[in-house]
Amino acid sequence: MKNYIIAIWMVAVITISANLGQGQVVDVLPTVETAPAYGGDDDADDPAIWIHPSNPSLSTIIGVSKNDDGGLHVYGLDGTQIQFIQFGKINSVDIRYNFPLNDQKVALVTASNRSNNSIAVYKVDPSTRRLENVAVRMIETGLGEIYGLCMYHSPKNSKFYSIVNDKEGNVEQWELYNNGNSKVDAKKVRSFSVGSQTEGCVADDESAKLYIGEEAVGIWKYVAEPTDGEARTQVDQCGGGHLRADVEGLTIYRAGGRTGYLIASSQGNNTFVIYERQDENTYIGTFRIAAKGSIDGCSGTDGIDVTNVNLGPAFTKGLFVAHDNKNSGGSSSNYKLVPWDSIAGAFDPILKIDTSWDHRGIIR
Ligand code: CA
Ligand code: CA
Ligand code: CA
């Protein structure tokens, strides 16, 4: 009898622990979806939000098509397509502001091109909201099969980087620089291995940290500076942690005082997992994007992005964007847009809503 009671007690403790470990799981609702990515299959992947310098409601979502005849898409905040450039099988895209291109400071966009294992480089023209190629040459990486990409603007030396990876777990960091003639060139400044297949990554420009998802394993935190070594700590794990393989897209919500959130796509259970941005990246909670009206819910998400900035009437408290692998239940794919305050307000206590951090501002 005593053993029986102990067994019951242990089951109860384990059940309570598991529930506490899972935290809150909430549903949030999209308000906009983009036009589908080019190609009839799951061809969309990673998005990046570009913030218009003077009228934030004219900001855009830059998306990809990894179809063989794919490229980069640009969508308005109402989801309509502004531009589609067809130049290859584009997997991931990221953006950084204030890149010095002769007498201009431009929003620089880089993307991983699986057709030729290169890094594509574009700038955003604020007057048209369209992308313009500014690569001086084809920047071919040393990777056998390029996959994910993220960017990093160093607070230490002000240099800009693209960090790319492949399905073997190899990572390469490329320094981007003005070639003196308003074009961008790049040179490889570090390479290392995560261990196994990786794709999603994000750099925190204020803390100089680099987060990389090892798809079947979990999330790792490295230093983002190319000269500071490859020491790493594990933020969370697939299976035993709050993630269900594959861990895919990663993004950072920036609030004041270097606080905010690290957000990950947990593809295996169609959820998004939120951690503290600072310190030990403590787990906070989990959300799903459900269907709302004519907009279907979000599943199988690869890439994500988020901004804290007020993007005008449609997204006054910021915006979260996620790839959806089955648009309207079909095989085509697109992006779902969710107001940040819908996500923040779904948790108890509510998450931070801080629109003050300026992506074009000086790094603190
Ligand atoms: Ca993947
Ligand atoms: Ca869907
Ligand atoms: Ca739809």
Side-chain angles (χ1 to χ4, degrees):
M1 184 66 182
K2 189 178 175 187
N3 286 347
Y4 177 76
I5 289 169
I6 288 171
I8 293 287
W9 176 79
M10 285 180 68
V11 167
V13 168
I14 289 165
T15 304
I16 290 166
S17 303
N19 287 341
L20 287 174
Q22 186 53 45
Q24 296 176 66
V25 182
V26 300
D27 282 352
V28 303
L29 301 177
T31 56
V32 174
E33 64 179 335
T34 67
Y38 177 84
D41 297 322
D42 178 20
D43 292 306
D45 195 303
D46 193 29
I49 301 166
W50 170 72
I51 298 161
H52 191 283
S54 57
N55 183 350
S57 65
L58 294 177
S59 299
T60 63
I61 310 299
I62 302 168
V64 301
S65 168
K66 53 191 180 190
N67 185 281
D68 284 341
D69 298 315
L72 285 169
H73 291 274
V74 180
Y75 307 99
L77 294 182
D78 62 355
T80 57
Q81 181 168 294
I82 297 168
Q83 183 185 22
F84 176 44
I85 315 170
Q86 273 177 289
F87 64 99
K89 193 173 178 177
I90 308 307
N91 195 87
S92 299
V93 63
D94 203 2
I95 186 166
R96 285 296 184 273
Y97 300 90
N98 296 328
F99 183 86
L101 207 54
N102 288 21
D103 57 348
Q104 287 187 303
K105 293 246 170 126
V106 304
L108 200 70
V109 172
T110 63
S112 49
N113 186 344
R114 286 164 64 174
S115 293
N116 52 21
N117 295 309
S118 71
I119 300 171
V121 190
Y122 286 78
K123 70 173 183 181
V124 182
D125 179 343
S127 66
T128 63
R129 304 191 285 166
R130 295 166 71 91
L131 298 169
E132 284 177 24
N133 188 353
V134 289
V136 69
R137 63 183 178 94
M138 186 175 93
I139 299 166
E140 194 170 3
T141 66
L143 300 171
E145 193 176 1
I146 199 169
Y147 208 34
L149 171 148
C150 61
M151 292 179 73
Y152 171 54
H153 183 194
S154 169
K156 300 187 175 177
N157 61 19
S158 297
K159 289 179 178 173
F160 290 77
Y161 302 91
S162 266
I163 297 160
V164 292
N165 58 52
D166 72 9
K167 293 188 179 183
E168 306 297 314
N170 300 305
V171 179
E172 291 186 354
Q173 185 160 357
W174 287 71
E175 181 188 328
L176 304 158
Y177 58 93
N178 177 5
N179 80 334
N181 198 23
S182 291
K183 295 288 184 186
V184 177
D185 208 338
K187 62 183 177 189
K188 188 166 72 177
V189 292
R190 114 165 133 160
S191 57
F192 60 95
S193 174
V194 169
S196 66
Q197 182 162 319
T198 172
E199 183 176 6
C201 54
V202 65
D204 188 329
D205 293 355
E206 292 184 283
S207 65
K209 295 285 190 284
L210 170 65
Y211 297 90
I212 303 182
E214 188 177 6
E215 293 193 342
V217 177
I219 302 169
W220 296 101
K221 178 163 62 176
Y222 291 83
V223 289
E225 290 296 321
T227 52
D228 286 355
E230 274 113 55
R232 66 180 188 178
T233 56
Q234 192 163 23
V235 172
D236 200 355
Q237 55 183 310
C238 298
H242 306 97
L243 299 163
R244 190 83 54 82
D246 296 350
V247 53
E248 291 277 342
L250 297 170
T251 189
I252 291 173
Y253 178 92
R254 292 164 171 88
R258 298 189 179 191
T259 65
Y261 307 105
L262 170 70
I263 308 173
S265 169
S266 174
Q267 192 178 53
N269 59 359
N270 306 312
T271 64
F272 305 93
V273 183
I274 306 182
Y275 310 88
E276 294 279 7
R277 176 186 174 196
Q278 66 275 13
D279 303 326
E280 306 306 315
N281 306 107
T282 304
Y283 169 75
I284 293 176
T286 299
F287 66 96
R288 291 178 290 243
I289 300 177
K292 181 190 179 190
S294 63
I295 306 176
D296 53 303
C298 206
S299 61
T301 296
D302 290 322
I304 56 178
D305 199 10
V306 70
T307 181
N308 63 305
V309 172
N310 173 353
L311 297 185
F315 301 100
T316 56
K317 306 293 186 192
L319 167 65
F320 178 80
V321 183
H323 155 256
D324 174 22
N325 75 339
K326 283 185 169 56
N327 176 32
S328 296
S331 59
S332 75
S333 55
N334 67 356
Y335 301 94
K336 268 46 181 185
L337 281 59
V338 184
W340 174 254
D341 43 326
S342 302
I343 296 169
F347 290 94
D348 181 20
I350 72 164
L351 306 184
K352 288 185 180 189
I353 299 173
D354 180 352
T355 58
S356 65
W357 194 85
D358 177 4
H359 290 237
R360 285 183 176 77
I362 304 299
I363 292 172
R364 290 163 288 186

